[in-house]
Every structure is written in C-alpha cells, then in structure tokens.
C-alpha cells in the first residue's frame, strides 16, 4: 500500500486533535461540550465518518502486521495504523463511507 500524497503521509506534531482544540478555543461558547448528540444533519455531497480506536500498544506490529484493513463489501472498508511514530500507544483509524455512513445503528 502506498500513502504517498495522502493524509497518512504527513503527521501533525502533538496530534491532529490540536486543530479541533484550537478551533474550539476560537469559537468559544458556540461549542457545547459534554452534550448528547441526538441528530446529525447532512447535505447531498456525500458522507464519511472517521473513527479512532485506541489500544495500549500497536500489538499488531508484534506479528509483523501493518494494521490495515481493506474491503469493498463491509461497513468498515478502510482501516489504517495511525499510531504515534514512537509506538507509545496503538491507534487504528477507520472510515465508514457512503451508504454505510448513512445506515442507522
């Protein structure tokens, strides 16, 4: 698998969560933290849900695996290793796209 030119090629020092934290600071009281989300409105441009799953370690690497999952049939059609370079924890990032992202759970 080649990620050259893709989102997995570059990393944000300190983690991409810093982007949302800085946006939340700038937006101030317009952000509601610790609130239940009851609905999500979407437009017709397409839907992608991104999720992260955290583990104590990137254990899949111990078996020589890269943490990637690719499927054209399953809801979780792309999963990638998004662990820090130092391996201090394991993080898998995955995506639900199209009809899989619009299907109620």
């Amino acid at each position: 698998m080649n990620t050259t030119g893709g989102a997995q090629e570059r990393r944000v020092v300190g983690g991409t969560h810093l982007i949302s934290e800085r946006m939340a600071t700038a937006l101030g009281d317009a952000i509601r933290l610790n609130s239940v989300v009851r609905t999500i409105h979407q437009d017709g441009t397409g839907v992608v849900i991104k999720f992260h799953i955290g583990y104590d370690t990137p254990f899949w690497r111990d078996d020589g695996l890269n943490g990637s999952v690719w499927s054209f049939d399953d809801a979780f059609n792309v999963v990638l290793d998004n662990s820090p370079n130092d391996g201090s924890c394991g993080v898998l990032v995955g995506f639900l796209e199209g009809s899989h992202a619009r299907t109620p759970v």
Side-chain angles (χ1 to χ4, degrees), residues 31-77:
I31 301 293
R32 296 182 190 170
L33 300 175
N34 301 313
S35 299
V36 175
V37 175
R38 300 205 187 278
T39 61
I40 298 173
H41 298 280
Q42 55 198 4
D43 60 24
T45 61
V47 179
V48 176
I49 297 172
K50 178 180 179 181
F51 62 91
H52 295 265
I53 303 172
Y55 299 94
D56 291 335
T57 64
F59 60 86
W60 50 91
R61 294 178 181 175
D62 294 339
D63 293 326
L65 301 173
N66 63 15
S68 297
V69 175
W70 297 90
S71 172
F72 294 109
D73 300 318
D74 297 314
F76 302 110
N77 53 0

Side-chain angles (χ1 to χ4, degrees):
M1 174 177 70
N2 184 353
T3 60
T4 303
Q8 299 301 316
E9 180 182 23
R10 305 211 190 282
R11 310 289 291 211
V12 175
V13 176
T16 55
H17 64 88
L18 292 176
I19 298 167
S20 59
E21 288 176 359
R22 289 178 183 163
M23 288 175 66
T25 299
L27 290 168
D29 292 336
I31 301 293
R32 296 182 190 170
L33 300 175
N34 301 313
S35 299
V36 175
V37 175
R38 300 205 187 278
T39 61
I40 298 173
H41 298 280
Q42 55 198 4
D43 60 24
T45 61
V47 179
V48 176
I49 297 172
K50 178 180 179 181
F51 62 91
H52 295 265
I53 303 172
Y55 299 94
D56 291 335
T57 64
F59 60 86
W60 50 91
R61 294 178 181 175
D62 294 339
D63 293 326
L65 301 173
N66 63 15
S68 297
V69 175
W70 297 90
S71 172
F72 294 109
D73 300 318
D74 297 314
F76 302 110
N77 53 0
V78 178
V79 177
L80 301 166
D81 184 346
N82 198 32
S83 305
N85 290 334
D86 64 6
S88 58
C89 65
V91 180
L92 294 175
V93 60
F95 302 90
L96 291 153
E97 300 176 290
S99 62
H100 296 297
R102 290 187 295 271
T103 304
V105 177

